[in-house]
Amino acid sequence: MTDSRHALIIANERYADQGLKKLRAPAEDASALEKVLHDPQIGDFEVQVVHNASADLMRRRIQGFFNERRRADTLLLHFSCHGLKSESGELYFAASDTEPPLLAATAVPFQFVRSCMSVTRAGRTVLFLDCCYGGAFSRGSTSVRASGDVNVLESFAKDEPASGRGWAVITASDSMEFAFEDNQLADDSSGPKPSVFTHAVVEGLETGEADLDADGKVSLDDLYEYVYRQVREQNPHQTPKKAAELHGELHLAHSRRGRIKIAAIPSPPTLRTALNSDEVLTRQGAVLELQKRLQHTELPLAEGARQHLEEVARNDIQQIAVMASDALSTIRLAPSPDHLDFGVISKGSAPHQQSVTMHGPPLARHCVAQPKQSWLRVDPTGSGLEVHVDTATEGRLSGDIVLKGVADETVIHVEAEVTPAHGTGGTGPETTKGSKEPPQGGGDKRPTVVIGPPHPPPRPTTPPGTTTPAHRTDRSAPALAGAALALAVAAIGTLVLAIQRAVTALTERGTEGVYGNVEDNIREHGALTPLIVCLITGAVALVVGAIARHDLRTRQQRYAKQAANATHTLTSIAKGLAIPALVLAVLAGIAYLVGSPHW
């Protein structure tokens, strides 16, 4: 994105003139749009809000907003107010002190805004107009001229901004329509609600659903297409419009909930030829080969196979289409469990956590996890994900974690009940059962987390004064593996010592002739003690190594890949040393027991 991003939101719903009907939407629009644009994980804009301002203040803020900008800047100006047409057909934006008979003196001309956009040095400027041009006035008012046609986009295109600077204008409705608030023009009796247009803008950016091509970014074209569909679906009588003069693509926001996208490697030409063969058996063989490629650890290869299998499932005869569909079913997201109940936990206690395992081949385990509630946090692990519940707010918590993969999506449902800490009263805020999110202040941060291959996700830094989760620092399995290796080496050493002493004892026995006694020689040189120590240390080495492997297998999510590899290596070496030492020690003991009476 660009070096600097700035947004100015102008929202007016109260007007001194009785001929201008009060609007419900602007205040709610400004709050919701400011939040989503300012969020560094979404819009990352520096946002200013001008609310129920006079015409003079509006003009000052608008001109100041466009002044002293740089080529690398992106500017976004949003109007949510009445739009008024003068007798000469010019468009004005109504201020709190606007007098319809005196539009030139008490309102902000559209020409003034267009002029500011034309002279700004900013590289790209976007204008959102959520205004109804003469449609939201009190019935019977004679002080407002509401008839006629105001075509903003045609008017804007007549005097484009300076050459080389990109601009775009998106209006809530075309020149012959009204901009609706929740399917109504205005309603003083009900509570505030966002307008249809701005609600669609906020929802598309906040949820990431406006990222239509799932590339992780919401472009201007993506957002317009999404808003157009949403507005037309809710109100067929309102048609958003767009005009733009841009070089390249303008990205307005990051998508926090975009699907996983993998650059696919196409299947070999021979395989594609087999898929198009007239022979059924040949196509069946090609599907079986694609099924094997679908399980590949290299995700681009697997993704190429998935795309070809989807084509087969759509276009081939039923027999082969079913084969392809069955193969595709193996890469559906399969979290286990898909419902987590943390039970009753105390307020203010350390965050509780539970693990979820992702099953299936690598392509099925590769997904993004998006918590829908701020009290939920997700961390990736070697086998899936770990879910943490914040205990800061009392009440019944109920929420979801949305998982999105290359082919489908699923939901993990999470429940918990946070009770007052021991010795405190229950006067704190409580969330009723089934609520989507506990009340809280501050911004809502719900970062997307990538689960599974191809690369292990970066570990989050730990703020000072916090406790690092156990699975980040657990070293018990590698430590046990190291102990097993040390014991195995000790077993080899004591075995060598026992053999040396036994050889010395047997040599002396040979020089003593018929008067010698091998048992006395062996005891004299202490050959039995290291042999017994070898048997004990070798056996303990095998047991400790088995414990290390068992701990690694049952708690794999608590160990980093490096620690797991070290555990496997150390236990394998220990096993390779301990077993031969034990075998030789047992054979030496048997030889001593059998042969000593005959020497």
Side-chain angles (χ1 to χ4, degrees):
M1 294 188 178
T2 58
D3 292 345
S4 185
R5 299 159 67 80
H6 305 271
L8 175 62
I9 301 172
I10 296 179
N12 297 328
E13 77 268 3
R14 296 183 180 275
Y15 303 92
D17 191 278
Q18 296 299 315
L20 298 175
K21 194 170 185 178
K22 176 185 175 182
L23 297 172
R24 296 177 302 159
E28 187 74 8
D29 290 348
S31 176
L33 190 59
E34 178 188 16
K35 180 180 178 181
V36 73
L37 289 178
H38 182 65
D39 192 328
Q41 298 182 29
I42 306 177
D44 198 21
F45 279 86
E46 179 184 318
V47 183
Q48 304 175 44
V49 178
V50 178
H51 188 207
N52 288 333
S54 64
D56 180 66
L57 180 58
M58 285 174 61
R59 283 191 291 266
R60 289 175 178 270
R61 290 294 183 88
I62 292 170
Q63 185 169 358
F65 177 69
F66 285 102
N67 282 353
E68 298 181 1
R69 297 303 185 186
R70 300 174 301 166
R71 183 76 175 186
D73 290 347
T74 294
L75 307 182
L76 188 153
L77 175 59
H78 178 94
F79 281 95
S80 183
C81 60
H82 280 310
L84 309 178
K85 187 176 77 72
S86 67
E87 293 183 356
S88 60
E90 295 176 314
L91 173 64
Y92 289 82
F93 298 111
S96 61
D97 61 344
T98 292
E99 299 178 26
L102 304 173
L103 289 181
T106 61
V108 177
F110 177 70
Q111 294 287 350
F112 172 78
V113 176
R114 187 173 63 181
S115 174
C116 291
M117 292 177 64
S118 298
V119 299
T120 184
R121 295 180 180 178
R124 293 181 174 185
T125 302
V126 180
L127 177 62
F128 286 165
L129 300 181
D130 193 359
C131 307
C132 49
Y133 310 130
F137 311 130
S138 301
R139 291 183 180 179
S141 172
T142 58
S143 61
V144 178
R145 302 183 62 86
S147 61
D149 185 7
V150 178
N151 195 317
V152 176
L153 301 185
E154 288 185 5
S155 175
F156 193 88
K158 292 177 182 177
D159 185 19
E160 296 179 1
S163 176
R165 296 189 178 94
W167 58 268
V169 181
I170 297 180
T171 64
S173 58
D174 68 17
S175 59
M176 299 300 292
E177 299 171 332
F178 301 147
F180 284 76
E181 299 182 307
D182 194 31
N183 293 328
Q184 300 180 37
L185 286 174
D187 186 352
D188 294 318
S189 62
S190 62
K193 296 180 181 179
S195 75
V196 177
F197 173 80
T198 303
H199 176 71
V201 172
V202 172
E203 183 179 58
L205 295 177
E206 186 174 38
T207 64
E209 296 300 328
D211 181 14
L212 300 183
D213 57 2
D215 63 352
K217 298 177 181 179
V218 180
S219 68
L220 180 72
D221 291 338
D222 283 342
L223 183 60
Y224 174 72
E225 291 297 329
Y226 175 83
V227 169
Y228 182 90
R229 297 175 191 174
Q230 294 297 312
V231 171
R232 294 289 293 174
E233 181 178 327
Q234 295 185 48
N235 187 358
H237 303 294
Q238 183 174 343
T239 308
K241 295 291 184 179
K242 181 189 77 169
E245 184 67 37
L246 293 170
H247 300 283
E249 196 168 36
L250 172 58
H251 293 120
L252 292 177
H254 296 283
S255 171
R256 298 191 305 181
R257 297 182 61 184
R259 285 187 180 274
I260 286 284
K261 286 195 71 176
I262 301 172
I265 295 179
S267 300
T270 54
L271 187 54
R272 296 200 298 269
T273 301
L275 289 173
N276 297 322
S277 173
D278 294 333
E279 297 292 334
V280 174
L281 294 178
T282 302
R283 298 205 303 277
Q284 287 179 338
V287 170
L288 292 175
E289 179 60 28
L290 286 175
Q291 186 174 359
K292 292 180 182 178
R293 295 174 67 89
L294 194 64
Q295 313 295 316
H296 207 284
T297 55
E298 293 187 23
L299 297 185
L301 288 177
E303 173 63 8
R306 184 191 71 83
Q307 294 179 7
H308 286 132
L309 284 170
E310 284 192 338
E311 293 180 8
V312 173
R314 289 193 302 265
N315 303 321
D316 215 319
I317 61 175
Q318 182 178 4
Q319 177 184 357
I320 299 179
V322 169
M323 287 181 59
S325 298
D326 290 343
L328 290 170
S329 66
T330 64
I331 60 165
R332 291 175 182 167
L333 295 174
S336 178
D338 59 5
H339 182 280
L340 300 177
D341 191 346
F342 284 79
V344 179
I345 51 182
S346 298
K347 179 181 179 181
S349 61
H352 290 235
Q353 61 191 42
Q354 291 190 30
S355 298
V356 175
T357 301
M358 298 300 298
H359 297 286
L363 195 62
R365 301 196 302 270
H366 192 39
C367 63
V368 293
Q370 173 65 50
K372 296 183 68 176
Q373 281 70 36
S374 60
W375 49 267
L376 282 171
R377 194 182 86 242
V378 176
D379 288 330
T381 66
S383 60
L385 55 96
E386 198 165 71
V387 179
H388 302 259
V389 171
D390 188 6
T391 60
T393 304
E394 293 179 24
R396 182 70 182 176
L397 307 181
S398 179
D400 295 318
I401 300 170
V402 178
L403 302 181
K404 290 195 173 186
V406 293
D408 68 335
E409 63 182 78
T410 189
V411 172
I412 299 173
H413 186 66
V414 183
E415 292 185 353
E417 185 172 356
V418 181
T419 59
H422 181 68
T424 63
T427 59
E430 182 173 334
T431 303
T432 58
K433 183 175 182 180
S435 64
K436 288 294 181 182
E437 187 168 352
Q440 64 176 26
D444 181 8
K445 307 296 183 185
R446 301 189 294 271
T448 295
V449 177
V450 180
I451 307 298
H455 301 293
R459 297 184 180 184
T461 56
T462 305
T466 60
T467 301
T468 303
H471 73 276
R472 300 296 186 195
T473 58
D474 200 336
R475 302 286 183 181
S476 55
L480 288 172
L485 179 59
L487 289 168
V489 171
I492 290 292
T494 54
L495 176 64
V496 172
L497 181 60
I499 292 174
Q500 288 176 343
R501 292 180 178 182
V503 170
T504 303
L506 292 174
T507 302
E508 289 186 0
R509 170 65 186 86
T511 61
E512 292 176 354
V514 295
Y515 302 103
N517 188 322
V518 71
E519 292 185 20
D520 293 338
N521 295 105
I522 288 178
R523 288 193 181 97
E524 180 182 351
H525 289 281
L528 290 179
T529 300
L531 189 65
I532 294 172
V533 173
C534 174
L535 289 170
I536 294 173
T537 54
V540 174
L542 292 177
V543 172
V544 173
I547 293 174
R549 283 180 175 272
H550 176 75
D551 186 70
L552 180 64
R553 184 169 57 254
T554 56
R555 300 194 302 166
Q556 184 178 1
Q557 70 276 8
R558 294 181 178 271
Y559 296 97
K561 184 177 180 181
Q562 184 178 3
N565 291 338
T567 301
H568 283 296
T569 301
L570 293 176
T571 53
S572 297
I573 296 174
K575 186 177 181 181
L577 295 176
I579 291 178
L582 282 174
V583 171
L584 292 174
V586 170
L587 292 176
I590 293 174
Y592 169 74
L593 293 175
V594 173
S596 60
H598 304 287
W599 282 67

